[in-house]
Amino acid sequence: MTTTSSITTATEAASAEGRVLHAKQDPAYKATKAPVEGKVYFSYADIHDTVSKMVPQILEFNPSVIIAIGGGGFIPARMLRTELQIPILAVSLELYDDSTNTARSTVKKIQWFDEHSEVGSKVRDRKVLIVDEVDDSRTTLQYCVEEVLQTNAPSEVAVAVVHNKLKPKKGRLPEGVVYMAGANVADHWNCYPWDAAAYGNTIFEHEALAAKCTTTAEIEDGGGSNNENTTP
C-alpha cells in the first residue's frame, strides 16, 4: 500500500525535475474529462466523490483543524468536515484577477484567521490540513503554507487538493509538508459548480455540461485508461 509520505516524496521529486507523476486511479473511480469549448466542467457529484476518497489518507495524518483557502477551498473543506468532524478556519488569498481571468504577479492576502479565537487556537503546535480545489501553479499553496508556518507555528502541515493539474509547478512546498491530491487532471481550464454563474450558467446548465465532458471523454478515450505515466 502506498503511504501518504511516499506520495509526498514522489510528487515533490517529480515536480523538482519539471514533471509530475500520474497517480494510478481505481478504474471505477477515474472519470476522464474532455473539454467543451476549451473548458472542463466538474459536477458536485464529481467533487464530492473525489473528496470522500481522500478521507482515509487524511485520517492517517489526523489533523486538528482544516484551513480552507477561499474561495475554491470552502466547499471541499465543508465536505471534509462532515467526515472528519473537525472545525474549519477560512483564509482568503487571491492569485487570479476575476475581472481579467489572468494570474497576478504575486499572491494577495485578503483575509486571515484570528489565532486567539476558539478555533484559531487549534493551529499552534497542532496538525493542520490546508484545503484548496486545485493545485495549478502551486504558487497559492506555497504562499499559504509558508504563511501558516511563519505566523501560526503548527506542529505539522498537510495539503489536500481536489485536483492536481499535470503541469510543471512554479511554487514549491516546504520540506516535510504532506501533499494529497484527490485526482490528477489534464492542464485545461477547470469550471467548478460553485462558479457556474461566473460562466453565465445556471447550476442545471453547469451540471449538464459536466455530464457532456464525461460522455465526450468516454467516446474519445474508449472508456478511459488506467496506465501510470509521466509527463514532461
PDB file of all heavy atoms in Angstrom, residues 109-121:
ATOM      1  N   LYS A 109      -2.961  38.662  -0.064  1.00  0.00           N
ATOM      2  CA  LYS A 109      -3.563  38.188   1.184  1.00  0.00           C
ATOM      3  C   LYS A 109      -4.735  39.100   1.531  1.00  0.00           C
ATOM      4  O   LYS A 109      -4.561  40.284   1.810  1.00  0.00           O
ATOM      5  CB  LYS A 109      -2.520  38.196   2.306  1.00  0.00           C
ATOM      6  CG  LYS A 109      -3.016  37.692   3.646  1.00  0.00           C
ATOM      7  CD  LYS A 109      -1.871  37.724   4.644  1.00  0.00           C
ATOM      8  CE  LYS A 109      -2.290  37.317   6.039  1.00  0.00           C
ATOM      9  NZ  LYS A 109      -1.164  37.368   6.997  1.00  0.00           N
ATOM     10  N   ILE A 110      -5.937  38.552   1.527  1.00  0.00           N
ATOM     11  CA  ILE A 110      -7.147  39.334   1.751  1.00  0.00           C
ATOM     12  C   ILE A 110      -7.690  39.148   3.162  1.00  0.00           C
ATOM     13  O   ILE A 110      -8.106  40.105   3.817  1.00  0.00           O
ATOM     14  CB  ILE A 110      -8.229  38.962   0.712  1.00  0.00           C
ATOM     15  CG1 ILE A 110      -7.718  39.270  -0.701  1.00  0.00           C
ATOM     16  CG2 ILE A 110      -9.541  39.702   0.980  1.00  0.00           C
ATOM     17  CD1 ILE A 110      -8.606  38.767  -1.799  1.00  0.00           C
ATOM     18  N   GLN A 111      -7.679  37.923   3.653  1.00  0.00           N
ATOM     19  CA  GLN A 111      -8.260  37.626   4.972  1.00  0.00           C
ATOM     20  C   GLN A 111      -7.467  36.515   5.645  1.00  0.00           C
ATOM     21  O   GLN A 111      -7.058  35.555   4.983  1.00  0.00           O
ATOM     22  CB  GLN A 111      -9.719  37.193   4.788  1.00  0.00           C
ATOM     23  CG  GLN A 111     -10.393  36.674   6.060  1.00  0.00           C
ATOM     24  CD  GLN A 111     -11.774  36.095   5.762  1.00  0.00           C
ATOM     25  OE1 GLN A 111     -12.529  36.653   4.987  1.00  0.00           O
ATOM     26  NE2 GLN A 111     -12.086  34.966   6.378  1.00  0.00           N
ATOM     27  N   TRP A 112      -7.264  36.637   6.960  1.00  0.00           N
ATOM     28  CA  TRP A 112      -6.600  35.595   7.739  1.00  0.00           C
ATOM     29  C   TRP A 112      -7.407  35.360   9.009  1.00  0.00           C
ATOM     30  O   TRP A 112      -8.234  36.183   9.382  1.00  0.00           O
ATOM     31  CB  TRP A 112      -5.169  36.001   8.072  1.00  0.00           C
ATOM     32  CG  TRP A 112      -4.251  34.832   8.320  1.00  0.00           C
ATOM     33  CD1 TRP A 112      -3.766  34.400   9.520  1.00  0.00           C
ATOM     34  CD2 TRP A 112      -3.723  33.955   7.327  1.00  0.00           C
ATOM     35  NE1 TRP A 112      -2.963  33.305   9.344  1.00  0.00           N
ATOM     36  CE2 TRP A 112      -2.915  33.011   7.992  1.00  0.00           C
ATOM     37  CE3 TRP A 112      -3.850  33.870   5.940  1.00  0.00           C
ATOM     38  CZ2 TRP A 112      -2.247  31.992   7.328  1.00  0.00           C
ATOM     39  CZ3 TRP A 112      -3.174  32.857   5.271  1.00  0.00           C
ATOM     40  CH2 TRP A 112      -2.392  31.931   5.967  1.00  0.00           C
ATOM     41  N   PHE A 113      -7.172  34.261   9.669  1.00  0.00           N
ATOM     42  CA  PHE A 113      -7.951  33.933  10.868  1.00  0.00           C
ATOM     43  C   PHE A 113      -7.313  34.510  12.128  1.00  0.00           C
ATOM     44  O   PHE A 113      -6.127  34.832  12.164  1.00  0.00           O
ATOM     45  CB  PHE A 113      -8.110  32.416  11.005  1.00  0.00           C
ATOM     46  CG  PHE A 113      -6.819  31.659  11.123  1.00  0.00           C
ATOM     47  CD1 PHE A 113      -6.228  31.449  12.364  1.00  0.00           C
ATOM     48  CD2 PHE A 113      -6.188  31.142   9.998  1.00  0.00           C
ATOM     49  CE1 PHE A 113      -5.031  30.753  12.490  1.00  0.00           C
ATOM     50  CE2 PHE A 113      -4.989  30.446  10.097  1.00  0.00           C
ATOM     51  CZ  PHE A 113      -4.410  30.255  11.343  1.00  0.00           C
ATOM     52  N   ASP A 114      -8.128  34.625  13.169  1.00  0.00           N
ATOM     53  CA  ASP A 114      -7.680  35.125  14.472  1.00  0.00           C
ATOM     54  C   ASP A 114      -7.192  33.945  15.309  1.00  0.00           C
ATOM     55  O   ASP A 114      -7.976  33.078  15.697  1.00  0.00           O
ATOM     56  CB  ASP A 114      -8.842  35.837  15.169  1.00  0.00           C
ATOM     57  CG  ASP A 114      -8.471  36.366  16.554  1.00  0.00           C
ATOM     58  OD1 ASP A 114      -7.287  36.269  16.940  1.00  0.00           O
ATOM     59  OD2 ASP A 114      -9.384  36.870  17.249  1.00  0.00           O
ATOM     60  N   GLU A 115      -5.913  33.912  15.574  1.00  0.00           N
ATOM     61  CA  GLU A 115      -5.335  32.798  16.329  1.00  0.00           C
ATOM     62  C   GLU A 115      -5.859  32.732  17.761  1.00  0.00           C
ATOM     63  O   GLU A 115      -5.790  31.685  18.413  1.00  0.00           O
ATOM     64  CB  GLU A 115      -3.809  32.914  16.336  1.00  0.00           C
ATOM     65  CG  GLU A 115      -3.121  31.708  16.964  1.00  0.00           C
ATOM     66  CD  GLU A 115      -1.611  31.799  16.916  1.00  0.00           C
ATOM     67  OE1 GLU A 115      -1.094  32.668  16.193  1.00  0.00           O
ATOM     68  OE2 GLU A 115      -0.950  31.005  17.611  1.00  0.00           O
ATOM     69  N   HIS A 116      -6.402  33.833  18.259  1.00  0.00           N
ATOM     70  CA  HIS A 116      -6.876  33.859  19.641  1.00  0.00           C
ATOM     71  C   HIS A 116      -8.353  33.471  19.766  1.00  0.00           C
ATOM     72  O   HIS A 116      -8.889  33.440  20.869  1.00  0.00           O
ATOM     73  CB  HIS A 116      -6.645  35.250  20.235  1.00  0.00           C
ATOM     74  CG  HIS A 116      -5.199  35.660  20.218  1.00  0.00           C
ATOM     75  ND1 HIS A 116      -4.246  35.043  20.983  1.00  0.00           N
ATOM     76  CD2 HIS A 116      -4.554  36.608  19.478  1.00  0.00           C
ATOM     77  CE1 HIS A 116      -3.068  35.599  20.755  1.00  0.00           C
ATOM     78  NE2 HIS A 116      -3.222  36.550  19.845  1.00  0.00           N
ATOM     79  N   SER A 117      -8.992  33.161  18.627  1.00  0.00           N
ATOM     80  CA  SER A 117     -10.367  32.669  18.689  1.00  0.00           C
ATOM     81  C   SER A 117     -10.367  31.203  19.124  1.00  0.00           C
ATOM     82  O   SER A 117      -9.315  30.551  19.168  1.00  0.00           O
ATOM     83  CB  SER A 117     -11.041  32.800  17.317  1.00  0.00           C
ATOM     84  OG  SER A 117     -10.408  31.944  16.379  1.00  0.00           O
ATOM     85  N   GLU A 118     -11.537  30.672  19.433  1.00  0.00           N
ATOM     86  CA  GLU A 118     -11.621  29.286  19.912  1.00  0.00           C
ATOM     87  C   GLU A 118     -11.051  28.301  18.898  1.00  0.00           C
ATOM     88  O   GLU A 118     -10.261  27.417  19.233  1.00  0.00           O
ATOM     89  CB  GLU A 118     -13.077  28.931  20.228  1.00  0.00           C
ATOM     90  CG  GLU A 118     -13.240  27.510  20.762  1.00  0.00           C
ATOM     91  CD  GLU A 118     -14.682  27.174  21.104  1.00  0.00           C
ATOM     92  OE1 GLU A 118     -15.531  28.079  21.056  1.00  0.00           O
ATOM     93  OE2 GLU A 118     -14.949  26.004  21.407  1.00  0.00           O
ATOM     94  N   VAL A 119     -11.462  28.449  17.634  1.00  0.00           N
ATOM     95  CA  VAL A 119     -10.964  27.535  16.600  1.00  0.00           C
ATOM     96  C   VAL A 119      -9.545  27.909  16.193  1.00  0.00           C
ATOM     97  O   VAL A 119      -8.700  27.031  15.966  1.00  0.00           O
ATOM     98  CB  VAL A 119     -11.901  27.534  15.372  1.00  0.00           C
ATOM     99  CG1 VAL A 119     -11.350  26.615  14.283  1.00  0.00           C
ATOM    100  CG2 VAL A 119     -13.303  27.089  15.775  1.00  0.00           C
ATOM    101  N   GLY A 120      -9.244  29.198  16.121  1.00  0.00           N
ATOM    102  CA  GLY A 120      -7.903  29.640  15.753  1.00  0.00           C
ATOM    103  C   GLY A 120      -6.823  29.135  16.698  1.00  0.00           C
ATOM    104  O   GLY A 120      -5.673  28.940  16.300  1.00  0.00           O
ATOM    105  N   SER A 121      -7.194  28.891  17.940  1.00  0.00           N
ATOM    106  CA  SER A 121      -6.232  28.410  18.931  1.00  0.00           C
ATOM    107  C   SER A 121      -5.830  26.952  18.699  1.00  0.00           C
ATOM    108  O   SER A 121      -4.914  26.448  19.345  1.00  0.00           O
ATOM    109  CB  SER A 121      -6.817  28.550  20.344  1.00  0.00           C
ATOM    110  OG  SER A 121      -7.938  27.701  20.507  1.00  0.00           O
TER     111      SER A 121
END
